Amino acid sequence: MGFEEGGGVGSGFRCLTRRKQVDSDRVRAEEGHHQLAKALSVPHLVAIGVGATIGAGVYVLVGTVAREHAGPALSISFLIAGIAAALSAFCYAELASRCPSAGSAYHYSYICVGEGVAWLIGWALILEYTIGGSAVARGISPNLALFFGGPDSLPSFLARVSIPGLDIVVDPCAAILVFVVTGLLCLGIKESTFVQAIVTTANVCVLLFVIFAGGYIGFQTGWVGYTVAGGYFPYGVNGMLAGSATVFFAYIGFDSVASTAEEVKNPQRDLPLGIATSLSVCCLLYMMVSVVVVGLVPYFAMDPDTPISSAFARNDVQWAVYIITSGAVLALCSALMGSLLPQPRILMAMARDGLLPSFFSDVNMRTQVPVKSTILTGIFAATLAFFMDVSQLAGMVSVGTLLAFTIVAISILILRYVPPVEIPLPSSFRESIDSVSIRYSVQNNGEKADSLGNTGSSQDQYDGPSQEINKESVNYPLIGKEINPEHFSEQTRRQKAAWSIASVCLGVLILTTSASYTFLPDSLLRYLACSVGGLLLLGGLFVLVWIDQDDARHNFGRTGGFICPFVPFLPVCCILINAYLLVNLGAGTWFRVSMWLLIGVLVYLFYGRTHSSLTDVVYVPAAHAEEIYRTAPAYVA
């Protein structure tokens, strides 16, 4: 390994694989970036995670999944989905504590995988949060109207209006709510999180009311929902698992916690605790609510649109409908804040890396948040919520989240087995790099001369290949000169690990695609494809289990934080589950997402690729980076 120009790496398709350094306070200071306010602790993170996760899903999914898939076993479906989400949460927790910077999955993939994949992940997350926030905002006004007497009872300036001839229904209430939340986010991360904590606490109180009041009613009525003829698994185990795949998307809000990593006071301790606590609270609430609701009303008689409130109404508790509707409105408002919070930070992270204009990276000196990015995000989301019914685009939200979950799991495998051994330094460090290179060249040549003097004539030892090595040492002094079995053994281990990770990913893709689609001409070919995919997956996993993990993982990023357990099994399971869900999202969803990703590719080719902060850097071995920093004039000054 040696040093090379970033421009060389950027030539052709190689620019897609260039990786950036793990961000630190020193790196951001050198690049002139203002710091975000470090104001968040574990309670703030739990409020963000629970608020972004428990949206309208718990008030709607309970009825739909119980009727169509799980029946009384709905709580088991929520438990399995929670365990599946926890796999991704473990991966997020380690990367967030090691690399506590804004950007979440975009940031991690840029460090571990490369610029091309990072760009696509960041671009997909922009779509996810924009559509997710707009869809949530459109869902608030119908629930809010119930407090004014009915679905069409909102005041005229808030009511939905159809534009004649255009088949468009505008929603002023949704747009106003987006602007209110945007203004709140501009005040500061601590202020907005405090408000979200209040809203989330009120929503949790409503859910606790559902659990305790519904439990009391259930004991009075004998839990009629569990006495149905179909038993606990009316649709079988397959139906229960299908329900798990559906409710899995009710857990995808915890990645909002990782997006605030740069604003956490003690990221090594607080981020893993925040992610784990928020996910555990959400899973527990989901399970308890589902246990109560499916016990009050038989699953086949549940209202798919308002399952909780209708369950209380069937038991003559009409007044509870208003409390439950309040909870739905609070949950939607909290989810709206959770959707709009991460996007400005992703835009800021991409602008810091040069992939977007510097406008997005500006941080307000007083509030210490990216106000410009937040305002632009709010305007775009409000416009979308005002003019467009985005319910048909809701599947696109899942694509961004699942892609992020998948790439985070792959990043864990890369971090453990083939972590980056070179880091990019600005070309302004050229003088220091040359100085360190010459010093190591002299040391290595001296050691080689001593070795040759002890073993015999130098003329006998210098054969053709060794002359080429010596010449290479002069031109690239930082290239490792060790020609010994241990060096070659380590290189072989890294190659095996890299090919094994690639084999796992390819095997998962073939297996999930062939198992999910019936486009293959006959079942024999389909089984053959599944077998090939399974063999690639198991073969790669076996090699990863057999070989050792890289020692450099101990020094990657900040140390002392959370360590993901059961590697490589846990990340591989995470990749398999997320890929299966991605493949089954449907052709229509993938077509719409492909159009958005194609736009992103064009933006990258014509702007990001040439403006990237890695276009003019020098890659040096990580072992020499600290010495180069110490001897650099800018650092000494």
Side-chain angles (χ1 to χ4, degrees):
M1 64 184 169
F3 69 86
E4 56 181 326
E5 296 290 346
V9 176
S11 60
F13 290 101
R14 296 181 65 191
C15 63
L16 301 177
T17 61
R18 56 191 177 192
R19 299 185 284 192
K20 69 174 183 177
Q21 183 180 358
V22 179
D23 280 359
S24 65
D25 294 337
R26 179 177 66 190
V27 173
R28 287 192 289 270
E30 288 168 356
E31 295 173 352
H33 298 306
H34 296 298
Q35 302 296 300
L36 299 179
K38 289 188 176 295
L40 301 182
S41 57
V42 174
H44 298 104
L45 297 177
V46 173
I48 293 173
V50 175
T53 303
I54 299 184
V58 69
Y59 295 95
V60 178
L61 281 179
V62 168
T64 303
V65 177
R67 282 175 61 98
E68 300 178 2
H69 299 293
L74 177 63
S75 58
I76 307 299
S77 295
F78 271 112
L79 176 61
I80 294 175
I83 294 173
L87 300 181
S88 295
F90 281 129
C91 299
Y92 264 95
E94 175 168 351
L95 288 171
S97 60
R98 285 183 178 270
C99 316
S101 183
S104 185
Y106 158 79
H107 177 61
Y108 312 145
S109 58
Y110 205 163
I111 294 170
C112 297
V113 184
E115 185 173 282
V117 172
W119 168 264
L120 289 179
I121 293 297
W123 194 252
L125 288 176
I126 291 173
L127 178 70
E128 171 201 339
Y129 290 123
T130 302
I131 293 181
S134 302
V136 167
R138 294 278 296 201
I140 294 177
S141 51
N143 287 278
L144 199 61
L146 296 177
F147 293 102
F148 292 88
D152 301 318
S153 302
L154 279 175
S156 57
F157 69 95
L158 294 177
R160 291 182 176 180
V161 179
S162 299
I163 300 180
L166 296 179
D167 194 24
I168 294 177
V169 178
V170 298
D171 192 338
C173 180
I176 291 173
L177 286 171
V178 171
F179 282 128
V180 170
V181 171
T182 301
L184 181 61
L185 292 175
C186 290
L187 295 177
I189 185 64
K190 195 169 184 178
E191 291 77 7
S192 60
T193 305
F194 177 74
V195 174
Q196 187 169 24
I198 295 176
V199 176
T200 301
T201 301
N203 179 32
V204 170
C205 290
V206 173
L207 293 179
L208 291 176
F209 166 79
V210 171
I211 293 168
F212 289 109
Y216 176 78
I217 297 173
F219 280 112
Q220 294 293 319
T221 59
W223 298 104
V224 295
Y226 292 111
T227 60
V228 293
Y232 194 71
F233 295 95
Y235 297 102
V237 176
N238 289 335
M240 182 264 294
L241 293 176
S244 298
T246 303
V247 301
F248 174 82
F249 299 105
Y251 289 97
I252 62 178
F254 70 84
D255 58 333
S256 297
V257 177
S259 68
T260 63
E262 193 174 317
E263 296 157 284
V264 179
K265 296 177 181 178
N266 186 359
Q268 280 70 40
R269 179 181 65 89
D270 294 350
L271 278 170
L273 283 176
I275 292 174
T277 304
S278 59
L279 188 61
S280 301
V281 168
C282 293
C283 184
L284 183 62
L285 288 174
Y286 283 152
M287 290 181 63
M288 294 177 69
V289 168
S290 61
V291 165
V292 169
V293 174
V294 297
L296 294 179
V297 180
Y299 70 92
F300 49 80
M302 294 181 69
D303 188 330
D305 297 321
T306 57
I308 300 179
S309 57
S310 63
F312 277 83
R314 287 172 62 95
N315 287 276
D316 299 325
V317 191
Q318 297 289 345
W319 55 270
V321 175
Y322 293 98
I323 297 178
I324 296 167
T325 303
S326 300
V329 172
L330 291 171
L332 287 167
C333 291
S334 182
L336 176 59
M337 296 180 65
S339 296
L340 296 182
L341 174 67
Q343 181 170 327
R345 285 147 182 84
I346 292 175
L347 292 172
M348 181 189 68
M350 298 176 75
R352 283 177 172 177
D353 297 326
L355 303 182
L356 289 177
S358 59
F359 168 87
F360 295 101
S361 63
D362 290 344
V363 175
N364 186 274
M365 295 294 293
R366 186 177 63 84
T367 62
Q368 292 183 282
V369 296
V371 171
K372 294 180 180 179
S373 295
T374 303
I375 292 175
L376 189 64
T377 296
I379 292 174
F380 192 73
T383 303
L384 196 61
F386 181 76
F387 285 106
M388 187 175 182
D389 183 5
V390 293
S391 58
Q392 67 270 23
L393 304 180
M396 299 173 71
V397 176
S398 302
V399 172
T401 301
L402 291 174
L403 282 176
F405 285 5
T406 304
I407 206 64
V408 165
I410 295 174
S411 297
I412 284 291
L413 293 177
I414 293 174
L415 186 156
R416 293 298 188 88
Y417 289 95
V418 282
V421 294
E422 295 178 335
I423 62 174
L425 295 181
S427 57
S428 58
F429 285 75
R430 166 69 67 182
E431 182 179 347
S432 178
I433 293 171
D434 292 340
S435 173
V436 175
S437 300
I438 293 172
R439 182 160 60 254
Y440 274 91
S441 176
V442 171
Q443 291 177 1
N444 288 326
N445 288 336
E447 292 174 1
K448 187 170 184 178
D450 291 341
S451 175
L452 293 173
N454 292 332
T455 56
S457 171
S458 61
Q459 183 66 31
D460 295 334
Q461 299 295 330
Y462 272 78
D463 54 7
S466 61
Q467 290 180 15
E468 293 177 4
I469 293 173
N470 190 46
K471 181 179 179 181
E472 187 181 25
S473 300
V474 174
N475 294 331
Y476 300 99
L478 285 185
I479 293 180
K481 313 300 185 308
E482 297 178 276
I483 308 175
N484 55 58
E486 291 184 2
H487 174 70
F488 285 124
S489 176
E490 175 60 17
Q491 289 296 102
T492 303
R493 188 205 61 78
R494 288 180 64 89
Q495 290 175 358
K496 289 180 180 178
W499 281 108
S500 298
I501 294 172
S503 175
V504 166
C505 296
L506 181 60
V508 166
L509 180 62
I510 295 174
L511 178 61
T512 54
T513 303
S514 56
S516 301
Y517 289 127
T518 57
F519 58 83
L520 295 176
D522 56 64
S523 58
L524 179 61
L525 188 59
R526 186 180 180 189
Y527 291 143
L528 180 61
C530 288
S531 300
V532 172
L535 288 174
L536 287 172
L537 170 60
L538 293 176
L541 179 60
F542 174 78
V543 175
L544 291 177
V545 173
W546 174 59
I547 64 177
D548 294 327
Q549 297 184 24
D550 198 304
D551 290 336
R553 72 186 188 277
H554 299 299
N555 301 319
F556 185 87
R558 298 188 184 182
T559 58
F562 178 80
I563 300 298
C564 180
F566 308 117
V567 175
F569 296 104
L570 190 149
V572 170
C573 289
C574 181
I575 295 170
L576 182 61
I577 292 171
N578 293 324
Y580 177 78
L581 294 174
L582 276 170
V583 168
N584 284 277
L585 284 177
T589 296
W590 273 109
F591 177 78
R592 289 188 288 266
V593 171
S594 298
M595 295 297 100
W596 174 254
L597 294 180
L598 179 60
I599 295 173
V601 169
L602 296 177
V603 173
Y604 175 75
L605 290 177
F606 290 102
Y607 184 87
R609 181 177 61 88
T610 56
H611 290 78
S612 171
S613 60
L614 299 183
T615 54
D616 187 26
V617 296
V618 180
Y619 284 86
V620 302
H624 305 309
E626 192 62 34
E627 184 176 357
I628 293 172
Y629 270 117
R630 287 198 305 267
T631 57
Y635 183 67
V636 173

